[in-house]
Amino acid sequence: MAFQKNFPLRRFSCFLAARGKNSRPKTMANKDQTDTDRMEKIVSLCKRKGFIFQSAEIYGGLNGCWDYGSLGAEVKRNLKDLWWRKNVQERDDILGLDGSILTHQAVLTASGHVGGFSDPMCDCLLTKARLRADQIEPQSGIAYHFTGASHEESEWSVDRDYSVLLNQPNQDENKARKTAREFYAQFLTDKQIPAKKLTLLGESTSEEKEVTHYNPENGSLLTEPRDFELMFKTQMGASADDHDPNATAYLRPETAQSIFVQYKNVMDSNRVKLPFGIAQIGKAFRNEINPRNFTFRSREFEQMEIEYFCRPEDGLRLTDEWLEKRLSFYDEIGLQKEKLHVLDIPDGERAHYSQKTYDIEYDFPFGQQELEGVAYRGDYDLEKHKEHSGKPLEYFDEQTKERFIPHVVEPSAGCDRTILALICEAFYEEDLTKEGGKQDIRTVMRFKPAIAPIKAAILPLLKNKPELVEKAREVKNLLQPFMNVFYDETAAIGRRYRRQDEVGTPFCIAIDFETMGLEEGKEDLKDTVTIRHRDSMEQERVAISDLLPWLLERIY
Ligand code: GAP
């Protein structure tokens, strides 16, 4: 899979409420800090080892959709469980919700998504490739303009303006003419005339600085940006017809809206007091124009969102508190502090209703990109739903006897993006080549044990020694009810260790002759196992009777 080398300069949306922020310059990925080779290796390992596959790969792939394989599914489950435990189960002030994906169009009309959730898109006039207008890097160079083309012998001509940008110094100007001929050749009805036989008309040039209306791939002129609807619309019911407003539904573009819509039900059924939050993990769908950078920008993805309802005077303080909490969560799951960046979105660049928005960004191998937004959304969403539904959504404060619409702080994280960050963070290649020896590169996924898909691998030293195999199976049965373990008896033990390193198993448990008490002089090691640590490769012996608590202490 080829890796994108173009990075977003601007990420903006015509719809500010959903994107959560205004049209604003995005941190430009520093190309010196990008590592295409590393990313390609990560993508390849993900497929080879069963973390992530392209959806419908055998049919050519479904663009922007991904399937998690056995190991990826475990990592995802571990991340979601941890997020849920920290944000719901270990807190008294946050309740969970699992809302429907199919969303009533009235909900998304009130929120402003219907008719407003779009991205600017333009097409390459030559290849018809579709590009996000806000993601085109500005380019400078000489533009060659033409007014049309003709073919004398057949008396064919086309009258249409077209331009090509040459953005490299000393580029052969004939390249621009060649591209222009290919463009005009598209209008030939008689495809027998080769493009190179066309005569270009009305050539002129201009110097261009930092322009974004040429395709960076081939220099061809692009169409004007147009709004592109990002929501997936569908029809419900057997008799669904286009004119029945109740038959139209949308796949939700964010999990947040069902939280706002159910806020009153959750509040009334749980008799909660402000401040309190509602948390949700679930799928969201956006018909992204350019899904890119592996799972980073997908069309189907999962969000982990909290809407934290509070009194208006507490909103700003809680936004800062949530930012800190979210940063410690990333630290806890193993993302290095130095690779996380907080962008305090300045005035004028936030959504109009937001008094504060922070973006948490991570240094992916393809550049610094957003992981999560922590936004103070004020009373915008509840006010909108109150207005459109006509239902009272106020909170009644028993103590002060006040009735008001609560304000909201929203930490909104991408589950798939966090997994991608975890995978990128974990990936290491260690050169273990000994002097003068054959090259030996150890690939190791240094997941934190809580995130690792397999917690322990159980490895009998030899598969042809029934007593070792039997003991190893006993150990497996002991651990399996408590954690995801893997049993492997094939190949030499060294190779088996390396296989586990590649998938990030923190502990390998070897059952050897000492375990059986069969080593002379080492009878005291009977019923102990060797534990080999993934990162240090050091080994220690642990009694089988201590094994479960030993592991539980280290993996959760
Ligand atoms: N409710 C607010 C909201 O949805 P957002 O910034 O559009 O805000 C929140 O999305 C998070 O969801 C992002 O920070 C990102 O992690 C994730 N996300 C958004 N679009 C995504 C996409 N196309 N693919 C993967 N993750 C995405």
Side-chain angles (χ1 to χ4, degrees):
M1 177 184 183
F3 237 78
Q4 301 258 5
K5 291 190 183 171
N6 293 329
F7 301 102
L9 174 69
R10 292 184 135 245
R11 170 79 167 156
F12 66 85
S13 164
C14 306
F15 178 59
L16 308 180
R19 291 294 195 189
K21 54 216 73 145
N22 210 327
S23 163
R24 64 183 174 78
K26 203 60 180 138
T27 329
M28 179 92 149
N30 183 344
K31 284 201 168 168
D32 299 336
Q33 288 170 3
T34 64
D35 190 340
T36 311
D37 287 350
R38 179 177 167 81
M39 198 58 217
E40 276 174 1
K41 283 181 189 167
I42 290 170
V43 174
S44 145
L45 179 133
C46 280
K47 179 175 171 183
R48 191 161 32 88
K49 290 287 160 187
F51 284 96
I52 301 171
F53 308 121
Q54 165 90 74
S55 179
E57 194 192 59
I58 59 167
Y59 292 102
L62 186 61
N63 199 7
C65 299
W66 301 92
D67 297 338
Y68 287 78
S70 55
L71 298 183
E74 287 293 333
V75 173
K76 199 170 203 188
R77 182 172 288 272
N78 292 341
L79 173 67
K80 291 199 285 189
D81 285 353
L82 205 60
W83 187 93
W84 194 260
R85 182 145 54 83
K86 296 275 158 206
N87 290 301
V88 182
Q89 293 169 343
E90 288 181 9
R91 294 187 62 127
D92 298 327
D93 58 344
I94 302 191
L95 299 155
L97 184 80
D98 188 2
S100 70
I101 286 171
L102 288 170
T103 305
H104 198 301
Q105 68 169 332
V107 170
L108 296 166
T109 304
S111 66
H113 286 84
V114 173
F117 190 47
S118 56
D119 269 340
M121 166 215 84
C122 50
D123 295 334
C124 173
L125 286 172
L126 183 66
T127 61
K128 310 292 174 237
R130 190 150 279 184
L131 284 82
R132 273 270 301 270
D134 55 327
Q135 290 180 340
I136 298 167
E137 266 189 70
Q139 307 164 80
S140 303
I142 306 292
Y144 286 73
H145 310 284
F146 306 92
T147 57
S150 63
H151 183 249
E152 246 174 68
E153 285 153 45
S154 61
E155 295 187 345
W156 175 89
S157 70
V158 57
D159 194 11
R160 196 180 157 142
D161 289 345
Y162 180 66
S163 308
V164 183
L165 182 77
L166 296 185
N167 62 5
Q168 301 296 318
N170 306 322
Q171 241 178 316
D172 181 358
E173 58 195 34
N174 284 320
K175 182 173 180 294
R177 295 186 186 114
K178 183 168 179 272
T179 305
R181 284 195 185 90
E182 282 166 14
F183 166 74
Y184 288 118
Q186 298 175 110
F187 299 93
L188 283 165
T189 37
D190 178 1
K191 300 287 178 202
Q192 299 304 320
I193 303 172
K196 61 181 179 199
K197 296 271 181 200
L198 298 182
T199 306
L200 295 168
L201 306 173
E203 180 177 320
S204 64
T205 58
S206 65
E207 199 178 329
E208 304 288 335
K209 283 211 167 19
E210 304 278 299
V211 290
T212 54
H213 53 286
Y214 292 96
N215 186 347
E217 293 293 316
N218 57 17
S220 168
L221 189 67
L222 300 166
T223 59
E224 285 291 313
R226 294 186 305 279
D227 283 342
F228 177 76
E229 164 75 57
L230 289 173
M231 283 201 297
F232 288 96
K233 196 176 184 178
T234 188
Q235 295 298 111
M236 303 222 320
S239 60
D241 87 79
D242 272 351
H243 305 293
D244 176 0
N246 290 322
T248 300
Y250 291 89
L251 301 188
R252 65 182 174 194
E254 57 173 4
T255 60
Q257 291 309 319
S258 57
I259 299 183
F260 294 127
V261 169
Q262 293 298 353
Y263 129 92
K264 191 100 175 65
N265 277 336
V266 173
M267 193 166 66
D268 293 348
S269 55
N270 292 279
R271 307 186 54 217
V272 281
K273 287 204 173 74
L274 288 182
F276 74 92
I278 304 178
Q280 177 164 211
I281 299 179
K283 292 266 187 181
F285 303 82
R286 297 180 190 177
N287 196 4
E288 298 283 357
I289 299 167
N290 282 330
R292 58 160 74 196
N293 289 333
F294 201 19
T295 58
F296 180 82
R297 191 172 306 293
S298 309
R299 291 188 168 137
E300 174 176 339
F301 55 96
E302 271 189 272
Q303 290 186 314
M304 305 186 292
E305 293 197 298
I306 300 164
E307 306 302 327
Y308 198 72
F309 301 93
C310 62
R311 296 186 65 90
E313 60 271 28
D314 296 332
L316 281 173
R317 175 182 55 81
L318 287 167
T319 308
D320 283 355
E321 284 181 23
W322 268 111
L323 174 68
E324 288 310 316
K325 281 194 188 79
R326 297 303 305 140
L327 289 170
S328 15
F329 179 79
Y330 288 120
D331 186 38
E332 199 175 326
I333 60 175
L335 298 184
Q336 284 179 65
K337 279 199 178 83
E338 308 79 72
K339 289 192 177 174
L340 289 166
H341 308 276
V342 176
L343 267 68
D344 184 350
I345 309 303
D347 289 347
E349 293 181 6
R350 293 187 299 270
H352 60 91
Y353 52 78
S354 175
Q355 289 174 48
K356 196 84 190 163
T357 299
Y358 295 110
D359 275 1
I360 302 175
E361 300 196 333
Y362 175 75
D363 286 331
F364 287 96
F366 45 86
Q368 185 182 315
Q369 299 279 342
E370 178 182 326
L371 263 189
E372 167 160 359
V374 180
Y376 176 25
R377 300 177 69 115
D379 58 5
Y380 178 81
D381 306 273
L382 289 181
E383 280 290 0
K384 285 279 166 211
H385 286 299
K386 181 182 133 180
E387 182 189 320
H388 283 252
S389 67
K391 297 282 179 336
L393 295 180
E394 286 84 2
Y395 170 83
F396 180 66
D397 189 320
E398 304 270 357
Q399 265 182 336
T400 62
K401 307 293 175 211
E402 286 171 280
R403 200 175 282 282
F404 61 95
I405 293 285
H407 279 214
V408 175
V409 177
E410 178 195 65
S412 171
C415 177
D416 306 83
R417 277 192 194 174
T418 308
I419 287 167
L420 185 57
L422 289 168
I423 289 176
C424 293
E425 180 85 43
F427 179 82
Y428 277 84
E429 284 183 316
E430 290 174 4
D431 190 349
L432 302 182
T433 311
K434 300 209 176 76
E435 220 177 304
K438 210 171 104 209
Q439 195 186 40
D440 181 12
I441 305 289
R442 178 172 90 116
T443 302
V444 50
M445 295 296 281
R446 291 191 179 160
F447 290 120
K448 282 251 174 156
I451 296 295
I454 299 167
K455 308 300 182 193
I458 295 122
L459 318 171
L461 188 62
L462 297 171
K463 73 169 174 187
N464 57 2
K465 296 282 174 213
E467 63 276 31
L468 292 183
V469 168
E470 193 185 329
K471 193 54 136 187
R473 291 199 181 276
E474 266 174 40
V475 171
K476 175 181 169 266
N477 293 341
L478 169 78
L479 302 177
Q480 203 163 24
F482 301 92
M483 66 194 76
N484 194 33
V485 295
F486 185 77
Y487 176 87
D488 187 8
E489 57 182 27
T490 60
I493 191 95
R495 275 198 52 201
R496 281 183 273 164
Y497 284 153
R498 290 293 181 91
R499 279 191 213 144
Q500 292 306 313
D501 292 342
E502 253 193 312
V503 298
T505 308
F507 306 108
C508 283
I509 301 168
I511 286 61
D512 47 27
F513 292 107
E514 279 109 331
T515 313
M516 310 311 299
L518 297 175
E519 284 284 292
E520 248 188 62
K522 293 188 180 169
E523 288 80 4
D524 56 327
L525 295 181
K526 184 168 188 306
D527 286 329
T528 65
V529 290
T530 300
I531 296 199
R532 185 257 197 187
H533 294 254
R534 175 196 67 202
D535 297 344
S536 63
M537 294 189 284
E538 277 169 10
Q539 304 193 355
E540 63 178 298
R541 285 207 84 89
V542 173
I544 292 176
S545 54
D546 294 337
L547 197 52
L548 183 58
W550 190 98
L551 282 167
L552 288 176
E553 198 182 308
R554 287 163 178 79
I555 61 176
Y556 293 118

